[in-house]
Amino acid sequence: DLKSGQTLYQRSAAVARPMASLTKLMTALLIVENHELNEWVTISAHAAATPGSTAHLPAGDSVQVGDLLSSLLVASANDSASALAEFDAGSEEQFIVKMNERAKELGLKLTSYANPMGLDDPRQVSSPRDTAWLTMFVLRFPDIAKRMAMKTAQFKTKNGVELSVTHTHALLHDPESGVIAGKTGTTEGAGQCLLSIVEDEDRRYLVVLLSSADRYADMRRILRVIAP
């Protein structure tokens, strides 16, 4: 329950496991805590070549921080995560140090990071409880909360290349679901991960699913309880 902070249901909430692109919540947090949205970021060849889900950022071009943040949280773009990490800390490696330091400061005892986008790594883990606490914290930042709720986003690079992204959370596009914001994550090691903000009348709920075999089927079962 987002208003009271009360846990209504939990299963294996304190078990650390891979969290895939839910990692990007911490990436986004460090960026909004340290940068203005109108700063320009030059896309390196390394960032542009990042595997997995991407926004197709053109190497050598520049994109504003706010637009990279949008593609990070809306489309779960790995190239945006890499570009933001390099921009903030000079390299992904130095950014990972900052991610882990911030996790300790926030009391996320079962969370550790090995990359800024969520690719599988034995050191890339969190628990449902840690993820929920981190989510509650990042939702205090309007620039993050707004983007977690955006169904689509369009922007231009400095050279005029037009890019468009669509939110990866399928239930956000279903007006009957009650899901008003969220974040997805999928890797072979993590399975299907899903973070959802659900609104039912005057209440809001946060649901975190890790290691699901069918996240939307699981989420619909939960929705039948939250908003029958």
Side-chain angles (χ1 to χ4, degrees):
D1 186 305
L2 278 174
K3 185 175 181 180
S4 67
Q6 179 184 4
T7 299
L8 304 179
Y9 175 80
Q10 57 185 332
R11 178 180 177 185
S12 303
V15 176
R17 60 183 77 229
M19 68 293 204
S21 285
L22 302 191
T23 294
K24 294 183 173 85
L25 295 175
M26 179 61 79
T27 302
L29 175 63
L30 288 173
I31 295 303
V32 299
E33 286 183 328
N34 293 287
H35 297 281
E36 299 296 328
L37 299 188
N38 60 0
E39 295 180 60
W40 287 96
V41 178
T42 300
I43 310 304
S44 71
H46 170 78
T50 306
S53 175
T54 70
H56 306 291
L57 301 174
D61 207 341
S62 297
V63 181
Q64 287 190 316
V65 166
D67 293 329
L68 290 175
L69 198 63
S70 295
S71 59
L72 180 82
L73 295 173
V74 173
S76 200
N78 290 345
D79 49 355
S80 296
S82 178
L84 287 168
E86 292 177 339
F87 173 69
D88 175 80
S91 68
E92 286 188 20
E93 291 73 21
Q94 288 303 311
F95 190 77
I96 293 160
V97 172
K98 296 178 69 171
M99 295 174 77
N100 286 309
E101 288 176 347
R102 197 71 181 99
K104 289 180 181 178
E105 292 169 356
L106 293 172
L108 307 180
K109 297 181 179 179
L110 296 176
T111 300
S112 65
Y113 300 102
N115 58 73
M117 65 283 297
L119 300 177
D120 283 335
D121 187 286
R123 300 163 296 162
Q124 190 91 11
V125 296
S126 188
S127 69
R129 183 177 298 158
D130 274 10
T131 301
W133 286 344
L134 176 59
T135 303
M136 292 179 71
F137 185 77
V138 302
L139 286 173
R140 300 178 185 179
F141 295 83
D143 290 327
I144 294 179
K146 178 178 71 174
R147 285 166 171 79
M148 290 177 66
M150 291 168 58
K151 294 181 176 66
T152 62
Q154 297 79 36
F155 55 94
K156 287 184 179 182
T157 70
K158 202 169 200 177
N159 291 338
V161 177
E162 296 184 357
L163 298 172
S164 177
V165 293
T166 301
H167 206 294
T168 54
H169 196 313
L171 294 181
L172 182 61
H173 301 279
D174 177 2
E176 302 298 320
S177 71
V179 175
I180 61 170
K183 183 74 192 71
T184 64
T186 309
T187 64
E188 184 176 344
Q192 298 180 24
C193 303
L194 190 68
L195 185 154
S196 306
I197 308 298
V198 183
E199 187 171 70
D200 180 42
E201 295 181 352
D202 62 341
R203 306 190 75 173
R204 288 190 177 187
Y205 303 95
L206 166 62
V207 183
V208 178
L209 299 174
L210 300 184
S211 192
S212 173
D214 190 337
R215 59 190 171 197
Y216 293 118
D218 289 341
M219 188 60 202
R220 288 189 186 280
R221 293 187 187 99
I222 294 169
L223 286 170
R224 286 197 289 270
V225 177
I226 293 176

